[in-house]
Amino acid sequence: MAFIPIYILILAGTIVIDYFAGIFIESTSGKRRKALLLISLIANIGILVVFKYYNFFIDNINPFLNQIGLENKLPYINIILPIGLSFHTFQAMSYTIEVYRGNQKAEKHFGIYSLYVMFYPQLVAGPIERPQNLLHQFREEHKFDYFLVTSGLKLMAWGLFKKVVVADRLAIAVDTVYAAPENYNSLSLIIAIIFFTFQIYCDFSGYSDMAIGCAKVMGFKLMINFNRPYASKNISEFWKRWHISLSTWFKDYLYISLGGNKVTLLRNCFNLLVVFILSGLWHGANWTFIAWGGLNGIFLIGGVIKNKVGFNWFSKFNLVNIFITFMLISFTWIFFRAPNLECAIIVIKKMAYGIDDLFDSIRKNEAVVQNIGLNKKQLIFSISIIICLQIGQYLINQRRYFLNYLMSNKIIRWGLYYALVLSIVFFGVFENRNFIYFQF
């Protein structure tokens, strides 16, 4: 509403449709029950398609119409994508689907249902909550809880650290290189690719931490959305750790509905590819996102086939598997970050063939890392902060007893709190940078 006030009617319209659809679905049976679900799904998907994909469709259909001699081009519509529409749509759809499946009773209180799809901490970028987890919490009394308030504030501070100290600093180099990738050698491109791998993680998981922490302060529990995804030993494990609320949504409502893995190997591979291409399309109306989703699907299919034929050369070498998975995921992020396919192809070609430029710089005694927007000290600091982040997350997740021992010491505990806050103040990049997933 801050941008376009009338857009509140979009949200209000879908809320009214889904609210009554849930009640009617619960009280009916047979074909009418399915028809009501379809009405709800069509209403939600229809709004998403118009606002997010209509102009993308026009971009691709008009050249085809010209080729066959139809000169009357389909018109573009001048609209702005409402913030968080994709997240709202999927959360609303999960409600009606769960009511249809009998896993959730229809919410009769209009205010509580509205709050479920408009709960502000996770409204614009998730986590995408299921009604079974969140709806009942709005009926419970939430008294002040010192532990929840303090732990929520700490999680919010940690999320803010990941956003402004890590993600936004790495974004300087990433934006500089991707603006003109043809001007950079292999090493500079590889640094930008690795930096974006951590940028998008810290940006999105940072938002999720702040959303979960904000809800916790008020006494609400939201689902965990990230679980050290770059420690995954294969692509399948990665997607169980990355954007968990979305990956489980696609698994429960699309992949299993298509037959999941309870079908032939060929059909299972087809199901995986369809799910990941649609997941890519969910992220944005651009062929780069479709390519990104398709690549992830192909890599996942490769893992399924590898397991079927028993090809497990590196099964005992976890670090090797983690490294291979990290490199494959980093490669897919090229398409996610590039503004178009042409740019992505340039990045890949220059990364592969730009080694000559790198050796030329060495022969001329020039800097092997070109000007990527960060000076030498800033570059070293950026790499150091990534390493520290990984060590910190390892200690938090794998060495809880050691961490609890440290935190039991009041001086150490408050020292860490002050260090976190001061690092945000002094090392944070406070430019006008939105969260990456706000555009979805």
Side-chain angles (χ1 to χ4, degrees), residues 404-427:
N404 289 338
Y405 173 76
L406 286 180
M407 297 299 283
S408 64
N409 186 300
K410 190 174 183 179
I411 296 175
I412 294 176
R413 184 171 69 251
W414 279 96
L416 290 173
Y417 295 160
Y418 276 108
L420 181 64
V421 173
L422 291 175
S423 65
I424 292 171
V425 173
F426 290 107
F427 300 118

Side-chain angles (χ1 to χ4, degrees), residues 149-436:
V149 171
T150 54
S151 60
L153 290 174
K154 285 182 280 188
L155 191 56
M156 291 172 70
W158 177 239
L160 184 61
F161 171 85
K162 287 198 285 187
K163 168 61 177 170
V164 300
V165 177
V166 186
D168 287 354
R169 181 171 298 279
L170 299 179
I172 297 171
V174 173
D175 293 348
T176 301
V177 172
Y178 273 90
E182 64 278 2
N183 296 332
Y184 292 91
N185 60 30
S186 291
L187 184 58
S188 300
L189 286 167
I190 290 171
I191 290 173
I193 291 167
I194 300 300
F195 273 18
F196 181 71
T197 299
F198 286 101
Q199 179 201 347
I200 191 168
Y201 166 69
C202 290
D203 191 285
F204 192 19
S205 69
Y207 175 88
S208 293
D209 288 342
M210 284 188 269
I212 295 168
C214 180
K216 184 178 284 189
V217 168
M218 298 184 290
F220 294 89
K221 183 179 180 180
L222 301 181
M223 70 179 293
I224 295 173
N225 214 17
F226 291 87
N227 181 21
R228 295 182 64 227
Y230 294 143
S232 303
K233 295 181 284 295
N234 53 64
I235 300 297
S236 176
E237 183 182 348
F238 174 82
W239 281 104
K240 293 175 182 176
R241 292 167 171 257
W242 177 275
H243 200 173
I244 300 170
S245 63
L246 179 67
S247 57
T248 54
W249 195 100
F250 273 107
K251 175 187 174 183
D252 294 343
Y253 301 133
L254 183 58
Y255 178 65
I256 293 177
S257 298
L258 291 172
N261 58 1
K262 307 297 183 182
V263 291
T264 64
L265 177 60
L266 184 61
R267 178 57 190 269
N268 184 27
C269 294
F270 172 79
N271 292 344
L272 287 170
L273 192 59
V274 168
V275 167
F276 274 88
I277 287 175
L278 290 177
S279 173
L281 192 60
W282 176 89
H283 281 83
N286 194 320
W287 285 105
T288 54
F289 293 116
I290 296 173
W292 169 78
L295 268 177
N296 276 281
I298 291 169
F299 289 155
L300 200 57
I301 289 170
V304 170
I305 295 174
K306 178 176 72 73
N307 293 334
K308 285 285 184 181
V309 300
F311 184 79
N312 293 308
W313 285 1
F314 304 113
S315 59
K316 295 181 181 180
F317 302 98
N318 287 341
L319 287 178
V320 175
N321 289 324
I322 290 172
F323 177 76
I324 292 172
T325 302
F326 178 81
M327 297 309 294
L328 290 175
I329 291 298
S330 297
F331 180 78
T332 67
W333 287 131
I334 295 173
F335 291 90
F336 195 97
R337 174 58 183 83
N340 49 59
L341 289 176
E342 291 78 12
C343 178
I345 292 170
I346 290 172
V347 170
I348 295 169
K349 284 184 176 180
K350 285 286 292 183
M351 183 176 60
Y353 300 114
I355 194 73
D356 292 335
D357 297 334
L358 178 61
F359 286 137
D360 190 50
S361 298
I362 294 173
R363 284 193 298 269
K364 295 179 180 178
N365 199 28
E366 296 175 348
V368 293
V369 179
Q370 297 163 289
N371 181 16
I372 59 173
L374 299 174
N375 59 39
K376 186 177 181 179
K377 289 183 179 179
Q378 292 171 332
L379 183 62
I380 293 173
F381 176 78
S382 299
I383 295 172
S384 301
I385 205 71
I386 290 174
I387 294 172
C388 291
L389 178 72
Q390 297 307 298
I391 294 173
Q393 292 190 326
Y394 173 79
L395 291 175
I396 291 172
N397 288 273
Q398 302 296 327
R399 294 290 182 266
R400 288 187 179 276
Y401 293 111
F402 172 72
L403 190 66
N404 289 338
Y405 173 76
L406 286 180
M407 297 299 283
S408 64
N409 186 300
K410 190 174 183 179
I411 296 175
I412 294 176
R413 184 171 69 251
W414 279 96
L416 290 173
Y417 295 160
Y418 276 108
L420 181 64
V421 173
L422 291 175
S423 65
I424 292 171
V425 173
F426 290 107
F427 300 118
V429 178
F430 296 100
E431 297 178 1
N432 186 22
R433 291 183 182 272
N434 288 330
F435 287 91
I436 293 174

Side-chain angles (χ1 to χ4, degrees), residues 6-23 25 36-51 82-96 107 110 113-118 123:
I6 200 171
Y7 270 20
I8 193 63
L9 297 180
I10 301 167
L11 200 57
T14 56
I15 287 173
V16 170
I17 291 172
D18 294 332
Y19 169 74
F20 286 107
I23 294 173
I25 287 171
L36 288 166
L37 174 65
L38 287 174
I39 290 172
S40 172
L41 297 181
I42 290 171
N44 282 280
I45 296 174
I47 290 174
L48 185 63
V49 166
V50 169
F51 278 89
I83 294 175
L85 183 61
S86 295
F87 289 91
H88 163 78
T89 300
F90 270 35
Q91 184 153 315
M93 288 168 64
S94 70
Y95 167 77
T96 50
E107 178 54 60
F110 183 75
Y113 172 73
S114 301
L115 187 55
Y116 163 69
V117 290
M118 293 183 67
L123 173 64

